[in-house]
Amino acid sequence: MSEKDVKRVVQYFYSIPEMARILREEQREVEDVYDTLKAAGGEAGHGGGGPGRPVELAASRAVDLGVWERAGEIGVKLEVLEGDAAAVRACLDGLCGRYKRVLEMRHRFGYSWGKISVKLGVPDSTARNWYHKAVLCLGEALDDVPMAEELLGRASRARTT
């Protein structure tokens, strides 16, 4: 995988927790809509209208709003994010500690090279060298990930900034 692509995947990896948080929040909202419709359908049944009619109305409203489809989409997206995170984490875990730290400092925390070198206690050139080697090693590991091209495609489409 090219250096540019590896950087894109690493940035995507570090943005996955926030993307998952947003999806879980939306999932709760969709479930609240479903629960509200379900409750409204159940309450309407006490006044008559025939058995099953309130449930049919609630189900119809849920279908009209696309509640079930959206809930399913969110579930699939969360599974994909979790799978991507696990695949990249496994590759990162294969790196030595200093390589992993320099990638994290640069992409997760957005540290400057000066700050990275101070935190690692090494010259700026050494920090940059470790970073370059980390990207190369990670790229080789990512090439071996099943469906690496799909992972890269998702990383390319993700909003990571």
Side-chain angles (χ1 to χ4, degrees):
M1 194 173 286
S2 74
E3 183 176 340
K4 177 181 162 186
D5 292 341
V6 171
K7 291 175 183 179
R8 186 174 291 137
V9 169
V10 171
Q11 195 64 37
Y12 168 64
F13 170 75
Y14 286 118
S15 66
I16 286 176
E18 178 62 13
M19 289 187 282
R21 185 196 64 76
I22 291 168
L23 282 171
R24 281 190 209 94
E25 187 177 296
E26 184 179 354
Q27 188 176 42
R28 281 190 298 277
E29 291 171 4
V30 168
E31 288 169 354
D32 287 347
V33 169
Y34 173 76
D35 290 342
T36 300
L37 291 172
K38 186 175 167 185
E43 292 169 5
H46 298 299
R53 182 75 179 137
V55 173
E56 290 173 16
L57 289 172
S60 176
R61 279 183 271 171
V63 168
D64 290 345
L65 294 172
V67 172
W68 288 305
E69 291 83 4
R70 186 61 192 145
E73 290 170 6
I74 293 170
V76 169
K77 285 182 179 183
L78 283 169
E79 286 180 27
V80 169
L81 285 176
E82 290 168 5
D84 287 351
V88 177
R89 189 177 309 107
C91 293
L92 284 169
D93 287 347
L95 298 177
C96 70
R98 64 179 174 225
Y99 290 177
K100 193 173 171 179
R101 276 194 309 276
V102 76
L103 284 170
E104 182 179 40
M105 287 181 194
R106 187 71 177 163
H107 290 282
R108 182 176 182 193
F109 301 119
Y111 290 171
S112 67
W113 290 115
K115 190 168 187 173
I116 291 170
S117 65
V118 167
K119 286 200 168 277
L120 295 176
V122 298
D124 183 89
S125 60
T126 301
R128 288 176 186 260
N129 187 34
W130 288 354
Y131 176 79
H132 180 68
K133 287 180 180 179
V135 168
L136 291 176
C137 292
L138 184 59
E140 290 174 7
L142 286 169
D143 281 336
D144 294 336
V145 169
M147 299 173 42
E149 289 301 315
E150 289 82 355
L151 171 64
L152 177 58
R154 287 188 293 276
S156 298
R157 289 185 303 274
R159 294 184 189 170
T160 58
T161 53

Short mmCIF file of all heavy atoms in Angstrom, two decimals, residues 16-43:
data_model
loop_
_atom_site.label_atom_id
_atom_site.label_comp_id
_atom_site.label_asym_id
_atom_site.label_seq_id
_atom_site.Cartn_x
_atom_site.Cartn_y
_atom_site.Cartn_z
N ILE A 16 -12.50 6.28 13.73
CA ILE A 16 -13.57 5.28 13.87
C ILE A 16 -14.33 5.42 15.19
O ILE A 16 -15.56 5.36 15.18
CB ILE A 16 -13.03 3.85 13.65
CG1 ILE A 16 -12.76 3.63 12.16
CG2 ILE A 16 -14.00 2.79 14.19
CD1 ILE A 16 -12.13 2.29 11.82
N PRO A 17 -13.69 5.61 16.33
CA PRO A 17 -14.47 5.73 17.57
C PRO A 17 -15.51 6.86 17.52
O PRO A 17 -16.64 6.68 17.97
CB PRO A 17 -13.41 5.99 18.65
CG PRO A 17 -12.18 5.36 18.11
CD PRO A 17 -12.24 5.57 16.62
N GLU A 18 -15.15 7.98 16.93
CA GLU A 18 -16.10 9.09 16.84
C GLU A 18 -17.22 8.77 15.85
O GLU A 18 -18.39 9.07 16.11
CB GLU A 18 -15.37 10.38 16.43
CG GLU A 18 -16.29 11.57 16.27
CD GLU A 18 -17.02 11.99 17.55
OE1 GLU A 18 -16.66 11.54 18.66
OE2 GLU A 18 -17.96 12.80 17.44
N MET A 19 -16.88 8.15 14.73
CA MET A 19 -17.91 7.76 13.77
C MET A 19 -18.88 6.76 14.40
O MET A 19 -20.10 6.85 14.21
CB MET A 19 -17.29 7.17 12.50
CG MET A 19 -16.59 8.20 11.64
SD MET A 19 -16.04 7.55 10.05
CE MET A 19 -14.57 6.66 10.52
N ALA A 20 -18.35 5.81 15.16
CA ALA A 20 -19.20 4.81 15.83
C ALA A 20 -20.08 5.47 16.88
O ALA A 20 -21.26 5.12 17.02
CB ALA A 20 -18.34 3.72 16.45
N ARG A 21 -19.53 6.46 17.59
CA ARG A 21 -20.33 7.17 18.60
C ARG A 21 -21.51 7.87 17.94
O ARG A 21 -22.64 7.79 18.42
CB ARG A 21 -19.46 8.19 19.33
CG ARG A 21 -20.20 8.91 20.48
CD ARG A 21 -19.49 10.16 20.95
NE ARG A 21 -19.40 11.20 19.95
CZ ARG A 21 -20.41 11.99 19.57
NH1 ARG A 21 -21.60 11.85 20.11
NH2 ARG A 21 -20.23 12.92 18.65
N ILE A 22 -21.28 8.51 16.82
CA ILE A 22 -22.34 9.22 16.10
C ILE A 22 -23.40 8.23 15.61
O ILE A 22 -24.60 8.48 15.73
CB ILE A 22 -21.76 10.04 14.94
CG1 ILE A 22 -20.95 11.21 15.50
CG2 ILE A 22 -22.85 10.53 14.00
CD1 ILE A 22 -20.08 11.92 14.46
N LEU A 23 -22.96 7.10 15.09
CA LEU A 23 -23.91 6.08 14.62
C LEU A 23 -24.73 5.50 15.77
O LEU A 23 -25.93 5.28 15.63
CB LEU A 23 -23.18 4.97 13.88
CG LEU A 23 -22.76 5.28 12.45
CD1 LEU A 23 -21.86 4.19 11.91
CD2 LEU A 23 -23.97 5.48 11.56
N ARG A 24 -24.08 5.26 16.91
CA ARG A 24 -24.83 4.73 18.07
C ARG A 24 -25.86 5.73 18.56
O ARG A 24 -26.96 5.36 18.97
CB ARG A 24 -23.87 4.34 19.19
CG ARG A 24 -23.20 3.02 18.95
CD ARG A 24 -22.44 2.53 20.19
NE ARG A 24 -21.34 1.71 19.75
CZ ARG A 24 -20.09 2.15 19.55
NH1 ARG A 24 -19.77 3.40 19.80
NH2 ARG A 24 -19.16 1.34 19.13
N GLU A 25 -25.51 7.01 18.50
CA GLU A 25 -26.45 8.06 18.88
C GLU A 25 -27.66 8.06 17.93
O GLU A 25 -28.80 8.13 18.37
CB GLU A 25 -25.74 9.41 18.84
CG GLU A 25 -26.55 10.56 19.37
CD GLU A 25 -25.73 11.85 19.37
OE1 GLU A 25 -24.72 11.89 20.10
OE2 GLU A 25 -26.11 12.77 18.63
N GLU A 26 -27.38 7.95 16.65
CA GLU A 26 -28.48 7.89 15.67
C GLU A 26 -29.30 6.62 15.88
O GLU A 26 -30.53 6.64 15.75
CB GLU A 26 -27.94 7.94 14.25
CG GLU A 26 -29.05 7.98 13.21
CD GLU A 26 -28.55 8.04 11.79
OE1 GLU A 26 -27.34 8.17 11.55
OE2 GLU A 26 -29.41 7.96 10.89
N GLN A 27 -28.64 5.53 16.20
CA GLN A 27 -29.34 4.27 16.45
C GLN A 27 -30.31 4.42 17.62
O GLN A 27 -31.45 3.96 17.56
CB GLN A 27 -28.31 3.16 16.75
CG GLN A 27 -28.89 1.78 16.83
CD GLN A 27 -27.79 0.74 17.03
OE1 GLN A 27 -26.86 0.96 17.81
NE2 GLN A 27 -27.89 -0.36 16.31
N ARG A 28 -29.88 5.10 18.68
CA ARG A 28 -30.77 5.34 19.82
C ARG A 28 -31.97 6.20 19.39
O ARG A 28 -33.09 5.96 19.83
CB ARG A 28 -30.01 6.01 20.96
CG ARG A 28 -29.17 5.05 21.79
CD ARG A 28 -28.61 5.70 23.05
NE ARG A 28 -27.72 6.81 22.78
CZ ARG A 28 -26.42 6.69 22.50
NH1 ARG A 28 -25.88 5.49 22.42
NH2 ARG A 28 -25.68 7.76 22.29
N GLU A 29 -31.73 7.20 18.56
CA GLU A 29 -32.82 8.04 18.08
C GLU A 29 -33.82 7.25 17.26
O GLU A 29 -35.03 7.41 17.41
CB GLU A 29 -32.26 9.21 17.26
CG GLU A 29 -31.50 10.22 18.09
CD GLU A 29 -30.78 11.26 17.24
OE1 GLU A 29 -30.93 11.24 16.00
OE2 GLU A 29 -30.05 12.08 17.82
N VAL A 30 -33.32 6.38 16.39
CA VAL A 30 -34.19 5.54 15.57
C VAL A 30 -34.99 4.59 16.47
O VAL A 30 -36.20 4.40 16.27
CB VAL A 30 -33.38 4.76 14.51
CG1 VAL A 30 -34.20 3.67 13.85
CG2 VAL A 30 -32.83 5.71 13.46
N GLU A 31 -34.33 4.02 17.46
CA GLU A 31 -35.03 3.13 18.40
C GLU A 31 -36.09 3.90 19.18
O GLU A 31 -37.16 3.37 19.46
CB GLU A 31 -34.03 2.46 19.33
CG GLU A 31 -33.19 1.42 18.64
CD GLU A 31 -32.02 0.92 19.49
OE1 GLU A 31 -31.79 1.47 20.60
OE2 GLU A 31 -31.34 -0.01 19.03
N ASP A 32 -35.80 5.15 19.53
CA ASP A 32 -36.80 5.98 20.23
C ASP A 32 -38.01 6.23 19.34
O ASP A 32 -39.15 6.18 19.82
CB ASP A 32 -36.19 7.32 20.65
CG ASP A 32 -35.23 7.21 21.81
OD1 ASP A 32 -35.20 6.12 22.47
OD2 ASP A 32 -34.49 8.18 22.07
N VAL A 33 -37.79 6.47 18.05
CA VAL A 33 -38.91 6.65 17.12
C VAL A 33 -39.74 5.38 17.07
O VAL A 33 -40.97 5.42 17.15
CB VAL A 33 -38.41 7.04 15.70
CG1 VAL A 33 -39.54 6.95 14.68
CG2 VAL A 33 -37.81 8.43 15.71
N TYR A 34 -39.06 4.25 16.97
CA TYR A 34 -39.75 2.96 16.94
C TYR A 34 -40.56 2.75 18.22
O TYR A 34 -41.73 2.38 18.17
CB TYR A 34 -38.77 1.82 16.73
CG TYR A 34 -39.42 0.46 16.86
CD1 TYR A 34 -40.21 -0.04 15.84
CD2 TYR A 34 -39.26 -0.30 18.02
CE1 TYR A 34 -40.83 -1.27 15.96
CE2 TYR A 34 -39.88 -1.53 18.14
CZ TYR A 34 -40.66 -2.01 17.12
OH TYR A 34 -41.27 -3.23 17.24
N ASP A 35 -39.93 3.01 19.37
CA ASP A 35 -40.62 2.82 20.65
C ASP A 35 -41.82 3.76 20.77
O ASP A 35 -42.86 3.37 21.29
CB ASP A 35 -39.65 3.05 21.82
CG ASP A 35 -38.61 1.94 21.93
OD1 ASP A 35 -38.83 0.86 21.35
OD2 ASP A 35 -37.59 2.18 22.60
N THR A 36 -41.67 4.99 20.29
CA THR A 36 -42.76 5.95 20.33
C THR A 36 -43.93 5.48 19.46
O THR A 36 -45.09 5.52 19.88
CB THR A 36 -42.29 7.34 19.85
OG1 THR A 36 -41.24 7.77 20.70
CG2 THR A 36 -43.41 8.34 19.86
N LEU A 37 -43.61 5.00 18.26
CA LEU A 37 -44.66 4.49 17.37
C LEU A 37 -45.33 3.26 17.96
O LEU A 37 -46.55 3.11 17.90
CB LEU A 37 -44.08 4.15 16.00
CG LEU A 37 -43.62 5.34 15.16
CD1 LEU A 37 -42.89 4.85 13.92
CD2 LEU A 37 -44.79 6.23 14.79
N LYS A 38 -44.53 2.41 18.56
CA LYS A 38 -45.06 1.20 19.18
C LYS A 38 -45.99 1.56 20.34
O LYS A 38 -47.08 1.01 20.46
CB LYS A 38 -43.89 0.34 19.67
CG LYS A 38 -44.29 -1.01 20.21
CD LYS A 38 -43.03 -1.79 20.55
CE LYS A 38 -43.35 -3.00 21.36
NZ LYS A 38 -42.15 -3.69 21.81
N ALA A 39 -45.56 2.53 21.15
CA ALA A 39 -46.38 2.96 22.29
C ALA A 39 -47.66 3.63 21.80
O ALA A 39 -48.74 3.39 22.34
CB ALA A 39 -45.60 3.90 23.19
N ALA A 40 -47.55 4.44 20.76
CA ALA A 40 -48.74 5.12 20.23
C ALA A 40 -49.71 4.11 19.67
O ALA A 40 -50.93 4.23 19.84
CB ALA A 40 -48.33 6.12 19.15
N GLY A 41 -49.21 3.10 19.04
CA GLY A 41 -50.07 2.05 18.49
C GLY A 41 -50.75 1.27 19.59
O GLY A 41 -51.93 0.94 19.50
N GLY A 42 -50.05 1.01 20.67
CA GLY A 42 -50.63 0.25 21.78
C GLY A 42 -51.68 1.04 22.52
O GLY A 42 -52.70 0.51 22.93
N GLU A 43 -51.46 2.35 22.70
CA GLU A 43 -52.43 3.18 23.41
C GLU A 43 -53.70 3.35 22.62
O GLU A 43 -54.79 3.41 23.17
CB GLU A 43 -51.81 4.56 23.70
CG GLU A 43 -50.69 4.51 24.70
CD GLU A 43 -49.92 5.81 24.76
OE1 GLU A 43 -50.32 6.78 24.09
OE2 GLU A 43 -48.91 5.85 25.47
#
